[in-house]
Amino acid sequence: MSRARQPPLVTGISPNEGIPWTKVTIRGENLGTGPTDLIGLAICGHNCLLTAEWMSSSKIVCRVGQTKNDRGDIIVTTKSGGKGTSTVSFKLLKPERIGILDQSAVWVDEMNHYDMRTDRNKGIPPLSLRPANPLGIDIEKSKFPQKDLEMLFHGMSADFTSENFSAAWYLIENHSTTSFEQLKMAVNNLKKQANKKNEGSLAYVKGGLSTFFEAQDALSAIHQKLEADGTEKVEGSMTQKLENVLNRASNTADTLFQEVLGRKDKADSTRNALNVLQRFKFLFNLPLSIERNIQKGDYDVVINDYEKAKSLFGKTEVQVFKKYYAEVETRIEALRDLLLDKLLETPSTLHDQKRYIRYLSDLHAPGDPAWQCIGAQHQWILQLMHDCKDGILHSAMLDLDNDVSSSMLGHLSQTASLKRGSSFQSGQDGTWRCKTPHRVVFVEKLAKLVLSHLPNFWKLWISYANGSLFSETAEKSGQIERIKNVRQRQNDFKKMIQELIHSLVKLTRGALLPFTIKDGDVKQYGGWDGKASLSGQWLTHVVQTVRLTYESLTALEIPNDMLQAIQELILDLRVCCVMVTLQHTAEEIKRLAEKEDWLVDNEGLTSLPCQFEQCIVLSLQALSSVLECKPGEASVFQHPKTQEEVCRLSVSIMQIFIHCLEQLSSKPDADIDTTHLSADVSSPDLFGSVHEDFTLTSEQRLLIVLSNCRYLERHTFLNIAEHFEKHSFQGIEKITQVSMASLKELDQRLFENYIELKADPIVGSLEPGIYAGCFDWKDCLPSTGVRNYLKEALVNIIAVHAEVFTLSKGLVPRVLSRVVEAVSEELSRLMQCVSSFSKHGALQARLEICALRDAVAIYLTPESKSSFKQALEVLPQLSSGADKKLLEELLNKFKSSMYLQLTCFQTSSPTMMKT
């Protein structure tokens, strides 16, 4: 069985004896899981459930009722555990005598009463009395030295009725060893005391319920007996006997209490006389008491004493009383002025402001001190914001002067160092570059200032509007007037908040977006040096700062319409950040050409395309937080003008990089340092690796740029478009189309330049080679093989292949196909220009055309195939089988003799075709 279902067990009761209605504390185990779980409690056989108060599963507090048994067990019954047992017992004592003025449901002895005249603590108003043990738990005095406590809490007090009360001191002194669970119970006790402060004599009524129920049961039994007997006032009946008994009891009670009531009347008369004397003494000492309490800061005591004097002597006609009361009013008027001055002092905490407003409210100060405080706080915050700007501007001017002086000294030092032949390094320049810009510092301080003071300002207004600034007395007396004031001043306060928000926004715009403020506001909100623009990183930081400011103000439940200006500022800052970041990215792209190292990988690519993509990706990642829409924010691209400008800048970035490629392709050889150039020698290329003293030619640079263009078109630009789409850019299709068109135009232009450089020399050598040695197609010797001009042309094509294959394998098919097209077209033209062929000339021409065609077959295109076909159609057909056999033998001989040279085409063909 679990512990929660075990029967209750009572192991202790304190006190263990007492008269009826004695309050006892019962301790034990499994005394219930909550107040609703407790269904029965009996002490000495009497049901005490009505007065029971469940504290915990091990503690119950109740009052002992009247019972016939002098001693008995304590039985607890719960829903969860049933009826319990007890290891202890309670002894019921006989009732004692009642006191003169005590209310009681039973007869008790007179007790020591609290005397307002003799026992009142000095400096504490009668209405502020508190119980001796406010926490309602056992007090355990600590052994901590009193002097050490006084030094630790200087100027404070452990007396909870003092204005300088220190809760920490009180807990150390009285509850240093108390457990955390007991302290939690103490918190619950304090809450219960607060809830029960208006219950009055509920405890008295509750305590007499048992007696009342017993009397009611007795009367009900008598009534039933009478009805059964059918007798009412018959002589000798039960009714008559009961009436005689009651009369005798009444006479006996009057006899017994005559002396007590007489003493009570005498005590009342004496007390009234003493109260009158005390009242006069209080008035005579009140002016001096007010002065002393004001000096000590005990304003609560002054106010309570003043209220008491006002109620007693405010309308007196006695001249002596009038004189002293007028003196009291003079002191109170001075106190009002003092409290008003303290209220309007800045800076001050919200707690102090509320405290002074309550004091002035209790003193019925003229006007509306709370509204005066709100107005003073509003002007003070505005002044702080402008002072912040002036302070940062002054600091910026000082730093500028120091920077100029340092630059002059640095120049002189550099000159002197150079004259001595030494090097000069400026250590200060690096520090300056890392320094936070003054405009960013200003926005951070401005946001911190607003978040430090505006929440308290807003809370002060909320307290003013809901009336929590005023005491209950002042609230009741001025309820209608206050409601009227709140309605009238609600619009005034809204204007104050809007003025603060607009000042925050305009000051921020003046520092970061000066072009967005009106000319008339430049002098008040501007004044910053606009030459040096902030980088995108600093603008991102500023956006984050303003966003945090907005979120903090939203948490105060300030209406959104009042914060709309901040939302507009955030949007403008985000747009500006995007534009500046894209502009800075464009500047970085321009400098990429200087970083080209011409180091080629296996794919014929340099690091430039990856650097370009990485540069854009990093810029977009830096903008990710800016582009993200926080709750309540609009998209950066919601305005068409912003979309167009972002699209223009994006296209500009792509075209700038394309222009960099064009510059690199056409840069003179003398401007390029390629002494460090090396190729990837890890692959077993046919033509070997590049040596250390290798320098790039203009044709090789063209090839590398073409390879980069090819990679950009197939990969980089598409990846960048995906990144743009991921970050919600608009007009991505237009950006991609324009960029691709520019890239293709550059690629085609560079390709044509390269083909012209490589194909023209080969094409130009064909005609002189064909007719070298006065060769004539009409009169030539029988063919013995392919002539040297064709072999030279093939070797030149192979050289082009080797150059392209070494630098960029992927470009081999494209380049070789165009070269073959040019050669085949020229060969076709030359054949068509021949008027006639002899038998041997026709065989020789067919042999050379077929040899060239078969050698470069893998790179034939429809155009080159057509050119070869046209060249062969011009030639006379071979008539005999012997000629055809001879042609085949000569072709095989050619292929066998140039096998090594032609192998480059076959070995690379699978790779080339895949590409």
Side-chain angles (χ1 to χ4, degrees):
M1 183 179 290
S2 63
R3 184 177 179 179
R5 296 180 179 177
Q6 293 178 356
L9 175 62
V10 176
T11 58
I13 184 170
S14 176
N16 59 4
E17 61 181 14
I19 63 174
W21 311 118
T22 299
K23 187 175 183 181
V24 295
T25 301
I26 301 171
R27 299 186 181 275
E29 300 174 357
N30 309 315
L31 301 184
T33 60
T36 57
D37 192 38
L38 183 64
I39 60 174
L41 175 59
I43 301 177
C44 299
H46 185 272
N47 186 5
C48 301
L49 181 62
L50 190 62
T51 62
E53 184 176 4
W54 186 90
M55 307 299 291
S56 68
S57 62
S58 60
K59 181 179 177 181
I60 298 175
V61 177
C62 72
R63 290 186 180 274
V64 181
Q66 291 182 344
T67 178
K68 297 179 180 179
N69 301 327
D70 295 335
R71 181 182 295 273
D73 294 335
I74 301 94
I75 305 301
V76 177
T77 306
T78 63
K79 293 180 181 178
S80 58
K83 187 174 182 180
T85 57
S86 173
T87 61
V88 295
S89 61
F90 182 85
K91 181 179 180 182
L92 190 66
L93 302 179
K94 293 182 179 180
E96 300 179 1
R97 293 184 304 164
I98 191 172
I100 336 178
L101 304 176
D102 286 340
Q103 289 181 338
S104 177
V106 296
W107 194 276
V108 295
D109 190 14
E110 285 191 43
M111 302 174 63
N112 294 327
H113 303 283
Y114 185 85
D115 194 335
M116 299 286 291
R117 298 175 291 101
T118 59
D119 294 343
R120 191 178 68 151
N121 295 325
K122 295 184 178 180
I124 301 176
L127 299 178
S128 301
L129 295 174
R130 297 292 186 270
N133 183 10
L135 298 183
I137 58 178
D138 296 337
I139 295 179
E140 301 174 2
K141 292 288 184 177
S142 68
K143 299 180 180 179
F144 204 79
Q146 189 70 17
K147 292 184 178 180
D148 293 346
L149 287 173
E150 292 176 355
M151 292 178 61
L152 184 61
F153 301 98
H154 181 69
M156 308 302 289
S157 173
D159 183 4
F160 58 87
T161 60
S162 173
E163 185 174 357
N164 298 326
F165 169 65
S166 172
W169 187 351
Y170 179 83
L171 290 175
I172 292 174
E173 187 176 67
N174 297 289
H175 300 283
S176 58
T177 59
T178 303
S179 65
F180 182 70
E181 292 296 327
Q182 288 291 319
L183 292 176
K184 289 172 66 176
M185 292 174 58
V187 173
N188 294 330
N189 292 339
L190 288 176
K191 292 180 179 179
K192 291 177 181 178
Q193 291 176 23
N195 294 332
K196 292 181 178 180
K197 66 178 183 178
N198 293 324
E199 290 184 359
S201 58
L202 180 60
Y204 165 71
V205 176
K206 188 174 180 181
L209 284 176
S210 178
T211 304
F212 171 76
F213 289 150
E214 291 176 357
Q216 185 183 25
D217 292 341
L219 291 175
S220 177
I222 293 171
H223 179 68
Q224 292 176 1
K225 184 67 175 175
L226 290 176
E227 287 183 345
D229 293 345
T231 58
E232 292 184 358
K233 290 189 178 181
V234 180
E235 189 66 28
S237 65
M238 180 184 291
T239 306
Q240 186 64 40
K241 294 178 181 179
L242 180 61
E243 182 179 358
N244 295 333
V245 171
L246 290 177
N247 288 332
R248 287 197 303 272
S250 177
N251 295 331
T252 304
D254 290 341
T255 305
L256 290 174
F257 282 94
Q258 185 174 6
E259 181 181 357
V260 175
L261 294 177
R263 292 207 317 265
K264 179 179 180 300
D265 293 338
K266 183 178 180 181
D268 290 340
S269 302
T270 305
R271 188 178 298 106
N272 290 335
L274 292 175
N275 285 338
V276 172
L277 294 176
Q278 182 66 23
R279 190 178 303 174
F280 295 161
K281 182 180 178 181
F282 164 75
L283 179 62
F284 297 151
N285 294 332
L286 187 56
L288 182 59
S289 175
I290 289 175
E291 288 289 343
R292 291 175 179 173
N293 288 326
I294 289 176
Q295 292 176 1
K296 291 189 296 183
D298 292 338
Y299 302 123
D300 281 321
V301 178
V302 174
I303 293 171
N304 285 335
D305 289 346
Y306 172 66
E307 287 294 333
K308 181 179 178 181
K310 186 177 180 181
S311 63
L312 295 175
F313 305 102
K315 298 180 180 180
T316 183
E317 298 296 333
V318 181
Q319 293 300 321
V320 176
F321 294 165
K322 281 186 176 182
K323 178 181 179 181
Y324 276 91
Y325 184 73
E327 187 68 21
V328 170
E329 286 289 356
T330 304
R331 299 289 197 280
I332 294 300
E333 186 61 33
L335 177 59
R336 292 192 187 104
D337 296 338
L338 174 64
L339 292 175
L340 184 60
D341 292 340
K342 287 181 175 291
L343 175 63
L344 300 181
E345 280 181 1
T346 53
S348 61
T349 63
L350 180 63
H351 173 73
D352 289 340
Q353 291 170 356
K354 290 183 175 181
R355 192 159 55 93
Y356 293 138
I357 290 172
R358 287 195 184 98
Y359 291 154
L360 289 169
S361 174
D362 290 339
L363 292 174
H364 307 288
D368 193 347
W371 182 252
Q372 289 178 281
C373 178
I374 291 174
Q377 287 292 311
H378 168 248
Q379 294 299 326
W380 178 60
I381 297 174
L382 282 178
Q383 187 61 42
L384 284 179
M385 295 167 70
H386 288 281
D387 290 346
C388 178
K389 185 198 80 168
D390 296 339
I392 298 295
L393 280 175
H394 181 67
S395 176
M397 293 299 296
L398 291 178
D399 289 345
L400 182 62
D401 294 341
N402 294 335
D403 186 50
V404 172
S405 302
S406 299
S407 299
M408 294 177 63
L409 292 174
H411 179 71
L412 294 175
S413 301
Q414 183 181 15
T415 305
S417 300
L418 292 175
K419 287 181 180 180
R420 293 193 298 268
S422 61
S423 61
F424 174 78
Q425 294 180 348
S426 174
Q428 186 178 3
D429 182 62
T431 304
W432 171 254
R433 290 182 181 179
C434 296
K435 187 176 181 180
T436 306
H438 288 92
R439 287 179 287 174
V440 177
V441 174
F442 166 66
V443 174
E444 289 178 345
K445 288 190 174 182
L446 185 63
K448 184 177 180 181
L449 186 150
V450 171
L451 293 182
S452 299
H453 301 291
L454 190 56
N456 287 339
F457 182 63
W458 177 261
K459 291 175 183 177
L460 184 64
W461 160 255
I462 295 299
S463 299
Y464 177 83
N466 61 28
S468 61
L469 282 178
F470 313 100
S471 65
E472 295 182 3
T473 305
E475 177 73 11
K476 293 177 181 178
S477 62
Q479 179 76 16
I480 299 177
E481 182 180 359
R482 187 191 63 77
I483 294 175
K484 187 184 299 183
N485 290 340
V486 170
R487 291 175 180 173
Q488 292 174 350
R489 287 167 177 167
Q490 189 169 6
N491 292 331
D492 295 336
F493 181 78
K494 184 177 180 180
K495 292 178 181 178
M496 290 181 181
I497 289 290
Q498 289 176 340
E499 185 177 1
L500 292 174
I501 297 298
H502 287 162
S503 296
L504 169 65
V505 170
K506 288 182 179 179
L507 286 169
T508 305
R509 288 184 180 275
L512 303 175
L513 306 171
F515 53 89
T516 62
I517 60 176
K518 300 178 181 178
D519 295 338
D521 295 335
V522 172
K523 183 177 180 181
Q524 184 177 2
Y525 299 102
W528 299 89
D529 181 14
K531 295 181 181 178
S533 60
L534 293 177
S535 65
Q537 293 178 343
W538 286 120
L539 285 173
T540 302
H541 177 72
V542 169
V543 169
Q544 185 68 13
T545 301
V546 180
R547 275 176 168 171
L548 290 175
T549 304
Y550 176 81
E551 291 174 2
S552 300
L553 295 179
T554 304
L556 296 175
E557 299 182 356
I558 297 178
N560 290 332
D561 58 337
M562 295 185 182
L563 302 178
Q564 184 61 33
I566 300 182
Q567 279 284 20
E568 295 173 357
L569 171 64
I570 293 174
L571 178 61
D572 290 347
L573 285 174
R574 292 167 62 204
V575 171
C576 179
C577 181
V578 172
M579 301 300 181
V580 170
T581 301
L582 293 178
Q583 291 169 1
H584 288 184
T585 303
E587 295 297 326
E588 292 179 10
I589 298 299
K590 286 181 182 178
R591 294 190 290 270
L592 282 182
E594 303 171 2
K595 301 179 181 179
E596 177 60 281
D597 53 10
W598 300 101
L599 296 175
V600 183
D601 61 8
N602 284 334
E603 302 297 328
L605 303 174
T606 64
S607 61
L608 203 61
C610 291
Q611 291 182 26
F612 170 63
E613 182 178 352
Q614 188 68 16
C615 184
I616 291 182
V617 169
L618 290 176
S619 298
L620 293 178
Q621 288 177 350
L623 288 174
S624 59
S625 62
V626 175
L627 294 174
E628 180 186 1
C629 293
K630 298 291 184 180
E633 293 183 356
S635 172
V636 173
F637 308 105
Q638 68 171 355
H639 296 300
K641 291 183 178 179
T642 304
Q643 296 179 15
E644 294 176 3
E645 184 64 17
V646 170
C647 183
R648 184 190 67 78
L649 288 173
S650 302
V651 171
S652 174
I653 289 174
M654 312 289 270
Q655 291 181 338
I656 286 173
F657 183 69
I658 294 172
H659 182 66
C660 288
L661 294 175
E662 186 175 9
Q663 284 182 324
L664 289 171
S665 66
S666 60
K667 210 169 188 179
D669 295 342
D671 295 344
I672 298 179
D673 179 19
T674 58
T675 57
H676 63 286
L677 183 70
S678 64
D680 188 354
V681 297
S682 61
S683 61
D685 292 341
L686 180 64
F687 296 98
S689 60
V690 183
H691 299 288
E692 293 182 0
D693 58 349
F694 180 78
T695 57
L696 289 175
T697 63
S698 59
E699 293 91 345
Q700 290 170 332
R701 292 202 307 276
L702 272 175
L703 273 177
I704 294 174
V705 174
L706 282 172
S707 180
N708 286 339
C709 288
R710 179 172 173 270
Y711 184 81
L712 287 169
E713 180 182 353
R714 296 188 178 186
H715 300 283
T716 305
F717 278 15
L718 298 179
N719 293 342
I720 291 174
E722 290 179 1
H723 287 295
F724 280 152
E725 184 176 2
K726 179 181 177 182
H727 289 83
S728 305
F729 272 56
Q730 303 295 317
I732 301 175
E733 184 177 354
K734 179 180 178 182
I735 296 172
T736 306
Q737 288 178 354
V738 175
S739 303
M740 286 289 191
S742 300
L743 180 65
K744 290 179 180 178
E745 191 271 334
L746 172 64
D747 176 79
Q748 189 62 31
R749 190 166 66 251
L750 297 181
F751 180 73
E752 295 296 338
N753 291 342
Y754 182 78
I755 295 300
E756 183 179 350
L757 291 172
K758 293 299 180 182
D760 285 1
I762 299 174
V763 171
S765 66
L766 289 178
E767 187 171 2
I770 289 175
Y771 296 105
C774 299
F775 180 82
D776 188 2
W777 295 108
K778 297 178 183 180
D779 184 17
C780 63
L781 297 174
S783 175
T784 59
V786 177
R787 288 184 292 169
N788 289 335
Y789 84 90
L790 187 62
K791 294 180 180 179
E792 290 178 1
L794 277 172
V795 169
N796 290 334
I797 293 175
I798 292 171
V800 174
H801 176 278
E803 181 179 66
V804 177
F805 187 84
T806 302
L807 293 177
S808 180
K809 300 174 185 178
L811 289 175
V812 171
R814 183 183 180 190
V815 173
L816 267 293
S817 297
R818 283 297 304 273
V819 172
V820 170
E821 284 181 8
V823 172
S824 63
E825 184 180 352
E826 178 63 15
L827 192 59
S828 176
R829 185 188 68 79
L830 292 174
M831 294 297 105
Q832 292 176 6
C833 291
V834 178
S835 58
S836 63
F837 293 88
S838 65
K839 177 181 178 181
H840 297 302
L843 181 61
Q844 183 69 38
R846 187 175 294 277
L847 171 64
E848 292 171 354
I849 293 172
C850 291
L852 178 62
R853 182 192 63 187
D854 293 346
V856 297
I858 193 171
Y859 301 116
L860 292 179
T861 62
E863 289 78 8
S864 57
K865 288 180 180 179
S866 176
S867 298
F868 279 121
K869 183 179 180 181
Q870 292 175 3
L872 290 174
E873 289 175 350
V874 174
L875 302 177
Q877 297 294 325
L878 297 179
S879 58
S880 65
D883 292 339
K884 294 179 180 180
K885 184 176 181 181
L886 177 61
L887 175 63
E888 185 176 355
E889 291 176 355
L890 292 174
L891 279 174
N892 291 334
K893 178 182 177 182
F894 164 74
K895 294 177 182 179
S896 176
S897 64
M898 293 196 69
Y899 174 76
L900 291 177
Q901 289 86 342
L902 298 179
T903 304
C904 66
F905 299 139
Q906 282 114 18
T907 56
S908 62
S909 61
T911 306
M912 295 300 111
M913 293 307 293
K914 288 180 183 178
T915 305

